[in-house]
Amino acid sequence: MARTQVGIIGAGPAGLLLSYLLHAEGVDAVVLESRSRDYVEKRVRAGVCEHPTVELLRDIGVGTRMDAEGLPHHGFSLRFDGEDHRIALSELTGRTITVYGQQEIVKDLIAAHEAKGYPVEFEVSDVELHELDTENPHVTYRDVDGVARQLDCDVIAGCDGFHGVSRPTVPAERVKFFNREYPFAWLGVLARTPPSHEELIYTHHERGFALHSMRSPEITRLYLQVPFDEKIDEWSDDRIWSELSARLATSGEFALREGPILDKGITPMRSFVAEPMQYGRLFLAGDAAHIVPPTGAKGMNLAIADVRVLSRALVELLQHKRSELAQSYSDTCLKRVWRAEHFSWYMTSMLHVDPAADDFQRRLQLSQLRYTAASTAAATSLAENYVGLPFE
């Protein structure tokens, strides 16, 4: 039997960052992760870091590699009617975003934990949470060698994602779920080829949405809207490149660079919020509490915003015996969560082709795109949400 102040379930960006922030303030924490270290360091996820996320990582001393290898972006393109319409993020907001893969942030945080000796246990199994409605919750699990363990805690943080064990542990009558599923999905590919454009391209096309992104000067990340029940084996590499070329085409000079596809998969689209984000001594953060469609690039950034709030609340609770911030954790986070939910829904509905939409709805959609591209006020609203609203 072991003891820590905060047991953290999940070694994604949320769990690792929470652990690092807590240790910096003298609060003990242990991170438990069901996957291997190699898996979590290679798991390809989000790549857009909001301005507040970048500033936070720099402030705590884990932004060195991000600053060296990340790609700052001062704008992105809205592409529709075969034309590019640039949203000038820096000019409109004075801030930028940085393209730097979630797995790279995970690598940086794991390395920082290793350097300071902060505990992270990988490949644990049979994780169960107990006595959450008391002041002495605990976690039982099996370690990498299959040995049964118990971790006694003051607090448990559920940072284990949408399919993790933390949220289902909350009694059904103590949580309310808000859920919306979309009638399409994203087919994402990682290709070994230089990006075809210096900035991200969000494309509305009659055949469906497409996104041109990147992970480095040599690696391109691309997405296609596909039916929600599509099978990945129906998409050969040639078909993927052909469809990307058709949707990203413009009336001007644009050539899509092709290359070997290193990875491909299909991601469903959903909006989801669990309220409240806390139950007793269990606090949910990141995808364990909420999901946004990836169109607005908010998922990882929301998780980081959550644990920034949670770390301060837990320092107050455990170091200073003041519970006000812990009690208001859910209400504080949900203000930002619902803003991000709305923005992500807005971007998704503006750019994707809804198979059930009639001609009236599709003309409204084009009208919104044209207004956003032409109006400084509309473009500024989009830009300030995209680069990330300031932390409270």
Side-chain angles (χ1 to χ4, degrees), residues 86-247:
R86 187 170 185 265
I87 304 299
L89 299 174
S90 297
E91 294 175 24
L92 294 167
T93 70
R95 290 171 284 158
T96 63
I97 56 99
T98 297
V99 174
Y100 189 63
Q102 173 177 311
Q103 72 274 18
E104 304 305 324
I105 293 175
V106 167
K107 289 177 190 175
D108 295 341
L109 286 167
I110 290 175
H113 276 69
E114 197 170 49
K116 293 182 178 291
Y118 301 157
V120 182
E121 293 191 42
F122 293 100
E123 298 182 73
V124 305
S125 59
D126 298 335
V127 176
E128 294 184 5
L129 314 185
H130 308 271
E131 300 186 63
L132 300 175
D133 56 351
T134 75
E135 293 186 0
N136 304 107
H138 65 272
V139 183
T140 56
Y141 64 98
R142 293 189 180 276
D143 66 18
V144 64
D145 297 316
V147 178
R149 303 287 187 186
Q150 179 170 317
L151 182 64
D152 291 339
C153 315
D154 295 312
V155 165
I156 298 174
C159 304
D160 50 345
F162 185 77
H163 299 290
V165 302
S166 297
R167 189 184 64 252
T169 306
V170 180
E173 68 274 11
R174 299 297 298 273
V175 63
K176 183 174 182 179
F177 300 129
F178 300 85
N179 189 54
R180 170 165 293 185
E181 296 187 358
Y182 296 85
F184 39 74
W186 274 16
L187 189 162
V189 303
L190 201 66
R192 188 177 298 283
T193 180
S196 306
H197 193 269
E198 64 272 13
E199 295 179 334
L200 279 72
I201 306 170
Y202 286 83
T203 301
H204 172 79
H205 189 275
E206 62 183 9
R207 298 167 69 99
F209 168 81
L211 171 61
H212 168 279
S213 183
M214 63 285 293
R215 289 297 177 267
S216 75
E218 296 82 31
I219 301 294
T220 300
R221 185 72 164 154
L222 302 129
Y223 297 94
L224 288 167
Q225 176 188 343
V226 296
F228 74 95
D229 56 354
E230 195 79 336
K231 305 300 182 185
I232 192 64
D233 56 11
E234 296 178 3
W235 286 84
S236 67
D237 291 2
D238 286 344
R239 184 186 178 191
I240 290 170
W241 286 118
S242 176
E243 192 64 22
L244 283 166
S245 181
R247 296 190 196 184

Side-chain angles (χ1 to χ4, degrees), residues 250-262:
T250 70
S251 58
E253 294 183 5
F254 176 80
L256 178 65
R257 293 174 173 171
E258 299 184 11
I261 291 179
L262 308 176

